[in-house]
Amino acid sequence: MLDSCTFSGFRRIIFATLMAVSVSISAQDDLVWNVPDADNTVYLQLQEGTVVIELNPTFAPKTVEHFKKLLEEQFYRGMSFYRVIDGFVAQGGDESDIDGSSTKTLKAEFEISWPLKPKDKEEAKDWLPMSWTAVQKDDMFAPYTGFIDGFPAARDKKKAGKVWLTHCPGTVAMARNNDPDSSGTDFYIVIGQAPRYLDRNLTVFGRVVWGMDVVQRIKRGPTLKNGIIEEDLKRTWIKRMRLASTLEQDEQLDIWVADTNNRGFKKYLQERRNRSHKFFHHKPPRVLDICQVPVPARLEKNPS
Amino acid sequence: MLDSCTFSGFRRIIFATLMAVSVSISAQDDLVWNVPDADNTVYLQLQEGTVVIELNPTFAPKTVEHFKKLLEEQFYRGMSFYRVIDGFVAQGGDESDIDGSSTKTLKAEFEISWPLKPKDKEEAKDWLPMSWTAVQKDDMFAPYTGFIDGFPAARDKKKAGKVWLTHCPGTVAMARNNDPDSSGTDFYIVIGQAPRYLDRNLTVFGRVVWGMDVVQRIKRGPTLKNGIIEEDLKRTWIKRMRLASTLEQDEQLDIWVADTNNRGFKKYLQERRNRSHKFFHHKPPRVLDICQVPVPARLEKNPS
């Protein structure tokens, strides 16, 4: 038990494994919370509840633009998650990726070049460097991992090298065919241990900021049949999928997401990296898996 | 589309991302399937379905013995998952870890020594070396990872060093307090990105071989309150938890699990490590995350 560890209005006795894991109280106090931009926030409504997805137009501008058009058309309404493999991904859409019928194909947006300060003085004046909160050097899959405005990311070693969003639980990306430029309408959400080998091979364009518990309730298909769910009744259906900014104020959820550029978040990372609590009989290596660092989020109240 | 890729009795057109991920047909054909030992197989029955857990008496003999006694007493019947953090663990039991009231404390079984051949000739005669199917050298958390009879594991560099079961999705372990020897009755199942920093710090004594989709439906608690679910109605309850060998034959599930010591499984590992398919626009690093290697399992038929 950790007597030093208290929550206001919450039972005082907390067992040790918790501490090992969660946002410690001090770090939690230091976090800075942001409201996601409603124009880049998607509400995916399922029977099981609502999932909130933050889009990333910095890394996938064309895909995000295209996706927003689809939302405007209510394209996904009444579609389903037709391919769901537990521990891997839940894939939804119109199944055009299966029969190759997709006509709305998109150019790959797998990675971007690390943005350097423009040489032109006029252009450089308003220029802001890309935020980068370092997490790990040399994880198995990339030379560097870190957070960019809440999104888990990785980059290579060159100063003007590439940077990409990583496949972690909650990552939202476009499905595709063998052709890198063949994404159409079908998307997937990562629901299991990070399939990092997919990094730089698919267009990641969003992340789940709220409702992963809802995502985890999406009905699975048979793993040995690649997760395809043949029977309609065994699928999870999309009731609606809409951009938050197109909804009335009272329909919007009051979601707050921790700022990953802030000092409080860096402290939180440091505490996770350096497990100094007496609970740790065997001191863990001082490393962090970028996909094992949840970005805290909270829902203040449900809409009236 | 992969025309070369066919499933008997299944639609021929399979999109490429699938291939990237699943057991390829050839590797699948080469797998050897085992029936788990009914005397070390647990059926955890929830409202949402049945979860099958394989116990590991090699790594946690005392804990497994103790756990089997609890099952015999029907100890967990009517208890609940009272602390559930999405992306981390679902913890169940009588909550004695919260109030420190647990009287049935257990010695830690965090790791074992790598078993060496006995020097005594007589003893050495019947001795079998520990199986080890290598997965990765120098992942972030251990010098070596590999499978031991289906279980994800890790070891250190010494010849007669330590070996331990790793925290991967589906890992089942005993909760405890600060004292390493304080496990009692409460256990947890890992439901998210592998919390490998817990390795060698808790007694891992089992793994889910079937029904992770059911585990993923266990109701979550509030992450920022350490996952504790205060209201009974918001919890997932354990209907029954029993050892398979204590059930009638027709109540037992016909589960088959891939043998990880076999050549077919090694081929499957090799295919996952070396992604040579043309889908991969960017060739992934030739590494494997031990927790991102699902051990295939299949259910032949439900009990009559």
Side-chain angles (χ1 to χ4, degrees), chain B residues 36-45 50-56 64 67-68 71 76 172 187 205-210 240-247 253 255:
Chain B
D37 170 18
D39 206 36
N40 283 307
T41 302
V42 176
Y43 294 165
L44 164 61
Q45 287 175 284
T50 298
V51 180
V52 182
I53 294 166
E54 183 184 358
L55 302 175
N56 193 315
V64 166
F67 196 75
K68 284 185 184 177
L71 297 181
Y76 294 104
V172 185
F187 66 95
F205 69 100
R207 67 177 178 116
V208 173
V209 292
W210 191 258
R240 281 198 292 210
M241 198 166 180
R242 297 182 296 177
L243 203 64
S245 60
T246 63
L247 305 184
L253 296 171
I255 301 273

Side-chain angles (χ1 to χ4, degrees), chain A residues 133-174:
Chain A
T133 300
V135 168
Q136 184 64 42
K137 197 173 164 296
D138 291 325
D139 85 351
M140 274 204 295
F141 294 88
Y144 302 102
T145 60
F147 284 98
I148 297 176
D149 298 325
F151 281 77
R155 53 193 284 203
D156 60 21
K157 279 190 168 140
K158 296 170 206 149
K159 200 187 162 203
K162 298 293 180 192
V163 53
W164 57 93
L165 300 179
T166 54
H167 278 79
C168 291
T171 289
V172 184
M174 293 303 277

Side-chain angles (χ1 to χ4, degrees), chain A residues 1-2 5 7-11 13-23 25 28 33 48 82-83 85-88 91 95 97-100 110-111 136-142 168-169 174-178 180 188 191-202 212-213 216-220 223-230 235-236 272 275 277-285 287-292 296-298, chain B residues 1-2 5 7-11 13-23 25 28 33 48 82-83 85-88 91 95 97-100 110-111 136-142 168-169 174-178 180 188 191-202 212-213 216-220 223-230 235-236 272 275 277-285 287-292 296-298:
Chain A
M1 278 168 275
L2 297 174
C5 183
F7 270 107
S8 56
F10 188 63
R11 68 174 85 180
I13 304 157
I14 294 169
F15 45 124
T17 44
L18 297 178
M19 182 66 178
V21 156
S22 309
V23 192
I25 311 314
Q28 197 173 314
W33 300 87
E48 291 78 3
Y82 60 87
R83 180 197 167 220
I85 298 181
D86 184 74
F88 181 50
Q91 184 163 317
E95 302 174 60
D97 281 357
I98 284 195
D99 58 18
F110 299 161
E111 56 192 13
Q136 184 64 42
K137 197 173 164 296
D138 291 325
D139 85 351
M140 274 204 295
F141 294 88
C168 291
M174 293 303 277
R176 68 165 170 92
N177 227 291
N178 281 341
Y188 60 89
I191 57 173
Q193 183 74 8
R196 294 280 305 280
Y197 62 91
L198 297 178
D199 289 357
R200 313 176 84 174
N201 276 299
L202 292 129
M212 267 310 284
D213 56 330
Q216 290 295 3
R217 296 180 83 87
I218 293 173
K219 290 176 196 151
R220 271 54 169 175
T223 300
L224 293 178
K225 287 185 176 175
N226 283 318
I228 299 283
I229 307 171
E230 303 268 11
R235 290 185 184 175
T236 298
R272 291 181 78 88
R275 308 269 179 184
H277 194 274
K278 63 180 172 181
F279 175 81
F280 288 95
H281 176 72
H282 174 88
K283 176 106 174 160
V287 292
L288 272 183
D289 168 7
I290 181 80
C291 294
Q292 216 278 320
R298 57 194 171 91
Chain B
M1 278 167 276
L2 297 174
C5 183
F7 270 107
S8 56
F10 188 63
R11 68 174 83 181
I13 304 158
I14 294 169
F15 46 124
T17 43
L18 297 179
M19 181 66 177
V21 157
S22 310
V23 193
I25 312 314
Q28 197 173 314
W33 299 88
E48 290 78 3
Y82 61 86
R83 180 198 167 217
I85 298 180
D86 184 74
F88 182 51
Q91 183 163 318
E95 303 173 59
D97 281 357
I98 284 195
D99 58 17
F110 298 160
E111 58 192 11
Q136 183 64 43
K137 197 174 163 296
D138 291 325
D139 85 351
M140 274 203 295
F141 295 88
C168 290
M174 293 304 277
R176 68 165 170 91
N177 227 292
N178 281 340
Y188 60 88
I191 58 173
Q193 183 74 9
R196 293 281 304 280
Y197 61 91
L198 297 177
D199 289 357
R200 312 176 85 174
N201 275 300
L202 291 129
M212 266 312 282
D213 56 331
Q216 290 295 3
R217 296 180 83 86
I218 293 173
K219 289 177 198 150
R220 270 54 170 177
T223 300
L224 294 178
K225 286 186 177 175
N226 282 320
I228 299 282
I229 307 170
E230 303 268 10
R235 291 185 183 176
T236 299
R272 291 182 77 90
R275 307 269 179 183
H277 194 275
K278 62 180 171 181
F279 174 81
F280 287 95
H281 176 72
H282 174 88
K283 177 106 173 159
V287 291
L288 272 182
D289 168 7
I290 181 80
C291 294
Q292 217 279 320
R298 57 194 171 89

